[in-house]
Amino acid sequence: MPIPLVNSVASWFLKKRFHQIELFLKYPNEVQGELLTSLLQCASTTEIGKKYDFGSIHTYREFADRIPVTTYEEIQSDIERSRRGEGNILWPTPIKWFAKSSGTTNAKSKFIPVSTESLEQCHYAASKDLLCMYLNNNANSQLFLGKSLRLGGSKELYRENGTSYGDLSAILIDNMPFWAEYSSTPSNEISLMGDWEVKMQAIVNETIQENVTSLAGVPSWMLVLLNNVIETTGKGNLFDVWPNLEVYFHGGVSFDPYLEQYNKILPKNDFRYYEIYNASEGFFALQDRNANKELLLMLDYGIFYEFIPMNTYGSPQQKVIPLSEVEVGANYAIVITTNAGLWRYKVGDTVRFTSVNPYHIKVTGRTKHHINVFGEELIIENAEAALRKATHATGCEIVDYTAAPIFMEGKEKGAHEWMIEFKRPPRDFAAFSAMLDKALQEVNSDYEAKRFNNTTLNAPKVHSAREKLFYDWLKEKDKLGGQHKVPRLSNTRDYLEELIILNKTF
């Protein structure tokens, strides 16, 4: 299909879709209310629908009072029954696919239900919306002149009991229309390879022969791939390999720690970065403007949203509020009800609203990935803002990091302990550590109060990790590639102790 015709088709779809988007922008709470009613009606004859009498629920308050907030562990037995082929438990239509969650380094896996509705109305709809937003903001885009280099999970799909499970990206690739493969690279065969290291070189070998115009994948693993491309080709930067490359669609982890490294291998001022916020449970938000990191919360993907203010999370005073009650600047844990049968389900992510008209968010971290042993309430957003300040001030670059508490013993005060792998280490390590401590105090007043005169916390203890420490640690756990992430912050020392030992054994 000629490019002008492709752009015309995209423009037509864009205008049609924008009318729907304008509807939820103008009437966000009404759209969410109607969606909740639709979800309840649709699932009224399921096991859970009968248990909580969905048919008699007519208001949000009745919904919130009657149905409990849940975690994966609390619905795991129902999901396992679904995986064995039983139907009509959490959702009326057959659940054929389960996304094996890889957002944790724990050995235990989660199997998130993916319905036909969520596949079409959420995941695929979001991919189309992302392209539409991008093309609307960049009328001269030549995106369709070439291919999108997609970097998905490394696991193949496993089939049993008439159902399939695997990495979400594998499910999406397995179900995408046949023509979609022609617009992306590498081939499905290579994309679904199981051995990450073999797959990596296979991707490099295939994609350097293509006219790549866009990139899509998790920043940490994409950076590994792109550095391999430069090493294999011997080129100075990626534009020497793919001269028509114009945008990188990224998500999964914060982009801030990687931005400077990307700018070095993509040295064009007009190169664009577009962020997305998706998970195995659904596609939640996407960047709707050039050079603006705020994400538009998408309200018509079959997901009803609720939020738990993090200042009450896990406490006896915990409360859950609908979208209409959120406030700008507050930190919230996300609770979702979806068209795949997740009812008032805690995703485990935290977000902060940057505006409520329309609803724009920034992802701030994970409910489990924070340090709050001493009342300091350090979240990932704080950690990465402080690291950004410290690296700029000392001229260094970071590959990966994690941090954990040093617990009080006897009269010894507590502290935070960091393991940081540098691409370019600071010349003065002590100055970097001091700058990190100073920056943490600047971005987090609770941490500052605990550090004042060493009242509760001593200065942080910072280790310089050997090269590829985090890569080797993930490899030991069979967690290379895809959506696998290094846990940034933890209230326990489990991850850190393993890394300290591994750092000494090479």
Side-chain angles (χ1 to χ4, degrees):
M1 186 181 290
I3 296 305
L5 182 56
V6 173
N7 282 337
S8 295
V9 171
S11 177
W12 172 83
F13 180 85
L14 176 70
K15 290 173 182 175
K16 182 181 177 184
R17 176 58 182 143
F18 260 39
H19 175 71
Q20 298 168 322
I21 292 174
E22 285 170 355
L23 186 66
F24 79 67
L25 290 177
K26 191 172 182 180
Y27 305 106
N29 301 309
E30 291 82 356
V31 167
Q32 279 278 282
E34 289 178 7
L35 174 60
L36 177 60
T37 299
S38 173
L39 292 171
L40 289 166
Q41 289 175 347
C42 189
S44 60
T45 60
T46 61
E47 277 190 24
I48 191 170
K50 292 175 181 177
K51 179 179 180 180
Y52 294 110
D53 193 11
F54 282 3
S56 68
I57 296 177
H58 303 294
T59 66
Y60 168 70
R61 186 43 51 199
E62 289 175 342
F63 168 75
D65 288 345
R66 196 176 301 179
I67 302 170
V69 172
T70 60
T71 62
Y72 181 83
E73 288 71 23
E74 290 166 326
I75 60 171
Q76 184 176 7
S77 60
D78 286 334
I79 289 177
E80 286 303 309
R81 289 170 56 205
S82 295
R83 286 186 60 213
R84 291 195 295 270
E86 289 187 52
N88 210 38
I89 300 170
L90 297 171
W91 191 247
T93 60
I95 304 292
K96 300 177 183 177
W97 307 284
F98 294 83
K100 187 177 180 182
S101 176
S102 52
T104 175
T105 51
N106 293 338
K108 186 188 293 183
S109 296
K110 296 180 181 179
F111 295 90
I112 305 299
V114 179
S115 66
T116 301
E117 293 87 345
S118 66
L119 203 62
E120 295 295 335
Q121 299 167 19
C122 182
H123 294 288
Y124 287 144
S127 298
K128 295 172 188 174
D129 281 354
L130 181 62
L131 288 176
C132 283
M133 293 284 191
Y134 177 77
L135 292 173
N136 185 58
N137 295 333
N138 303 281
N140 297 322
S141 168
Q142 300 295 304
L143 204 62
F144 294 114
L145 281 173
K147 293 187 176 184
S148 173
L149 195 170
R150 63 181 185 215
L151 183 61
S154 302
K155 299 297 182 184
E156 60 185 303
L157 284 171
Y158 298 90
R159 306 178 195 278
E160 58 185 26
N161 305 315
T163 65
S164 302
Y165 70 90
D167 189 276
L168 175 65
S169 60
I171 293 173
L172 296 177
I173 290 169
D174 194 50
N175 287 281
M176 68 170 52
F178 73 92
W179 50 263
E181 183 172 2
Y182 292 109
S183 64
S184 56
T185 186
S187 64
N188 288 0
E189 181 183 357
I190 291 176
S191 292
L192 296 175
M193 289 175 78
D195 187 319
W196 168 255
E197 291 174 321
V198 173
K199 170 182 171 176
M200 174 66 68
Q201 195 57 48
I203 293 174
V204 172
N205 293 341
E206 180 175 311
T207 58
I208 59 177
Q209 309 298 325
E210 300 283 2
N211 175 26
V212 173
T213 54
S214 67
L215 308 170
V218 176
S220 51
W221 296 114
M222 181 62 79
L223 188 61
V224 175
L225 171 65
L226 297 180
N227 282 327
N228 279 348
V229 166
I230 290 175
E231 184 178 340
T232 299
T233 61
K235 302 293 186 180
N237 62 65
L238 291 173
F239 298 119
D240 293 334
V241 183
W242 301 307
N244 299 312
L245 187 60
E246 63 177 76
V247 62
Y248 173 28
F249 300 107
H250 62 87
V253 299
S254 171
F255 192 55
D256 288 347
Y258 304 100
L259 179 58
E260 286 190 15
Q261 294 178 64
Y262 273 92
N263 285 341
K264 286 184 177 180
I265 59 176
L266 292 162
K268 277 187 183 178
N269 292 332
D270 61 349
F271 185 80
R272 301 177 187 94
Y273 298 96
Y274 262 63
E275 185 174 356
I276 62 172
Y277 173 29
N278 67 334
S280 298
E281 294 86 355
F283 202 119
F284 307 133
L286 54 86
Q287 183 176 327
D288 60 335
R289 293 163 291 180
N290 284 342
N292 189 307
K293 295 181 180 179
E294 297 176 356
L295 307 180
L296 179 66
L297 191 65
M298 304 302 286
L299 303 180
D300 62 351
Y301 285 171
I303 301 173
F304 178 77
Y305 292 98
E306 297 174 273
F307 301 89
I308 303 173
M310 284 304 290
N311 58 5
T312 70
Y313 187 87
S315 73
Q317 292 76 39
Q318 176 175 296
K319 60 180 180 178
V320 185
I321 62 174
L323 181 65
S324 59
E325 296 179 20
V326 300
E327 298 177 355
V328 171
N331 207 32
Y332 297 99
I334 302 181
V335 177
I336 59 172
T337 293
T338 78
N339 54 3
L342 296 177
W343 298 93
R344 305 198 82 201
Y345 177 90
K346 290 195 286 189
V347 178
D349 291 339
T350 60
V351 299
R352 174 172 51 82
F353 282 85
T354 56
S355 72
V356 293
N357 185 26
Y359 288 100
H360 278 106
I361 62 172
K362 282 189 68 90
V363 181
T364 55
R366 300 277 297 168
T367 54
K368 292 182 179 179
H369 292 184
H370 64 279
I371 304 178
N372 193 29
V373 173
F374 311 102
E376 67 275 49
E377 296 187 31
L378 186 71
I379 62 174
I380 293 174
E381 186 182 39
N382 301 151
E384 298 195 333
L387 283 168
R388 192 162 57 250
K389 287 187 174 187
T391 53
H392 284 171
T394 57
C396 59
E397 290 182 15
I398 288 176
V399 176
D400 259 317
Y401 75 91
T402 194
I406 297 174
F407 296 103
M408 295 179 176
E409 284 190 22
K411 294 182 179 180
E412 273 297 311
K413 293 170 184 173
H416 291 175
E417 190 166 4
W418 294 71
M419 180 68 74
I420 303 176
E421 182 180 341
F422 295 92
K423 183 175 184 180
R424 186 174 71 241
R427 292 179 181 177
D428 187 334
F429 197 79
F432 170 83
S433 300
M435 180 57 70
L436 175 60
D437 183 33
K438 181 175 181 289
L440 286 167
Q441 294 181 54
E442 290 171 353
V443 300
N444 184 313
S445 58
D446 292 313
Y447 178 86
E448 181 184 33
K450 303 301 181 293
R451 282 285 295 120
F452 181 70
N453 289 334
N454 294 350
T455 306
T456 305
L457 290 174
N458 286 326
K461 182 178 182 180
V462 184
H463 301 278
S464 181
R466 63 168 175 80
E467 185 179 1
K468 294 186 71 175
L469 172 67
F470 289 94
Y471 184 96
D472 291 339
W473 181 65
L474 288 170
K475 184 176 180 179
E476 273 194 356
K477 296 176 177 294
D478 192 26
K479 299 286 185 181
L480 289 179
Q483 298 290 319
H484 298 296
K485 312 171 186 97
V486 172
R488 300 305 196 190
L489 306 174
S490 176
N491 264 339
T492 75
R493 292 183 56 82
D494 297 346
Y495 305 131
L496 185 64
E497 293 291 356
E498 292 177 1
L499 286 160
I500 288 173
I501 292 170
L502 194 59
N503 202 37
K504 295 176 180 177
T505 56
F506 280 74

